[in-house]
Amino acid sequence: MKIGVVGAPVDLGQQRRGVDMGPSAMRIARLQERLESLGHSVKDFGNISAADMATAKVGDRTARYLNDVVRQCGLIARRVADCGSQGLFPLVLGGDQSVSIGTLAGLSSGGTSRGIVWLDAHGDFNTPKTTPSGNIHGMALAAILGYGPPELVRLGKRSPMASERNTVLVGVRDLDADERKAVSRSRVTVFTMKEIDQLGMQTVMKRAIGVAGDGVDQVHVSFDVDVVDPREAPGTGTPVRGGLTYREAHLAMETLSDSRRVTSAEFVEVNPILDTANHTAELAVEMMQSLLGKRIISKRA
Ligand code: MG
């Protein structure tokens, strides 16, 4: 496979410093070398230019830094669309989860239909009307599915940017009160940690792929590292205990890989300032390897 790497050193979707260094941390964790060791070719497009939190304007506090987030997402969208037109598998490195709006905007420019498997401790389903924080990273999935500020919702060539009935949330364990109602009203399928405990990760993931891939051309994987338990992934801004074990997270990626349905991916919310010796970036790159075909016995035939 030919992979196009897009770095998005973005931190304005939330308020903790350091997550803009995520792309560097994942590259330092030998991202390119480890993907090439699986037989892939890797073209790294470098980073998009992102605003600096020290000088950016907050603006409306129900959607903080909206203007800069829109501009940054536009740059991400263009690079992702370039990957698509060059036949590359887009792999986006965050940055906070606001980058996902750019990723999906870029993917939606290709005229194809898609589902999403969104692995996250949170729902990212707030809008400026429901958000307690004003942080756009907590509005990313809602914006992709057509809810929220029009500047974000209409960033792609089509809105919504993905099919709601083909969208699956996996690993959720922390929803805001009004966000919970919005998720319940939506057609999004949710597998909370409770379902993972009860059914096991492989069953959950097979069902998730079935829903996400039903009748669509493409399946996108969005991996927020906070889906993993903070003991394994401490370097992230909004950790919630009770998350995926290291092996559950790998199994999720391996099951997605086995399905051969995944056509794009992003890894977000790695914050090296909060990390221990780059452990979380290392974990993110290991997850990419499993998603992109790494096998314990042998590489995929
Ligand atoms: Mg998230």
Side-chain angles (χ1 to χ4, degrees):
M1 189 162 30
K2 293 177 179 153
I3 298 165
V5 173
V6 177
V10 161
D11 64 356
L12 297 180
Q14 47 86 67
Q15 294 174 55
R16 299 191 76 166
R17 305 303 305 271
V19 70
D20 55 321
M21 291 185 268
S24 295
M26 287 184 264
R27 289 187 178 108
I28 290 164
R30 298 183 295 117
L31 162 80
Q32 180 153 356
E33 187 187 327
R34 286 157 105 173
L35 295 182
E36 285 172 349
S37 76
L38 300 173
H40 303 305
S41 73
V42 178
K43 179 174 179 180
D44 193 332
F45 288 82
N47 288 345
I48 61 124
S49 97
D52 188 330
M53 197 187 278
T55 53
K57 298 257 185 310
V58 175
D60 181 346
R61 284 174 193 273
T62 65
R64 299 167 63 92
Y65 304 106
L66 177 62
N67 290 343
D68 279 313
V69 170
V70 168
R71 185 187 62 79
Q72 292 169 170
C73 286
L75 296 174
I76 297 163
R78 216 171 304 156
R79 292 264 174 92
V80 168
D82 286 346
C83 287
S85 60
Q86 294 176 36
L88 305 172
F89 177 105
L91 177 62
V92 178
L93 314 177
D96 69 62
Q97 187 112 45
S98 69
V99 308
S100 305
I101 305 166
T103 307
L104 271 296
L107 294 173
S108 72
S109 71
T112 48
S113 57
R114 79 191 39 73
I116 305 177
V117 179
W118 191 281
L119 297 110
D120 204 310
H122 309 91
D124 297 347
F125 216 76
N126 273 301
T127 66
K129 290 199 176 78
T130 65
T131 174
S133 66
N135 294 335
I136 292 178
H137 77 158
M139 309 181 197
L141 184 57
I144 287 162
L145 297 179
Y147 310 102
E151 300 94 317
L152 290 175
V153 165
R154 299 206 196 105
L155 204 63
K157 282 206 175 131
R158 46 163 93 175
S159 174
M161 303 174 203
S163 156
E164 188 165 319
R165 69 169 196 88
N166 295 103
T167 296
V168 188
L169 268 167
V170 178
V172 176
R173 53 195 184 277
D174 184 21
L175 295 172
D176 298 315
D178 289 335
E179 182 185 36
R180 180 179 298 125
K181 290 180 202 155
V183 171
S184 304
R185 274 195 305 269
S186 78
R187 299 185 69 191
V188 171
T189 300
V190 185
F191 293 103
T192 67
M193 286 309 301
K194 182 182 173 189
E195 278 84 44
I196 295 169
D197 290 342
Q198 289 176 333
L199 300 169
M201 179 50 96
Q202 187 165 36
T203 299
V204 165
M205 221 50 204
K206 283 186 169 168
R207 288 188 193 173
I209 294 159
V211 172
D214 183 28
V216 295
D217 305 314
Q218 302 188 326
V219 174
H220 173 70
V221 172
S222 187
F223 191 97
D224 183 330
V225 292
D226 72 23
V227 76
V228 180
D229 193 89
R231 281 176 300 189
E232 288 293 345
T236 194
T238 47
V240 187
R241 66 179 173 175
L244 301 187
T245 66
Y246 181 73
R247 269 309 310 165
E248 281 172 333
H250 266 299
L251 181 58
M253 296 294 105
E254 288 159 352
T255 309
L256 284 161
S257 175
D258 289 343
S259 78
R260 304 191 178 210
R261 292 298 313 271
V262 179
T263 48
S264 55
E266 63 197 343
F267 289 76
V268 302
E269 300 285 356
V270 172
N271 186 329
I273 292 285
L274 305 171
D275 205 3
T276 312
N278 218 29
H279 192 79
T280 306
E282 292 276 348
L283 178 137
V285 174
E286 289 171 18
M287 294 301 147
M288 290 175 207
Q289 288 186 288
S290 283
L291 179 66
L292 295 167
K294 186 178 181 187
R295 291 293 173 276
I296 291 164
I297 300 234
S298 65
K299 282 191 280 189
R300 189 162 73 197

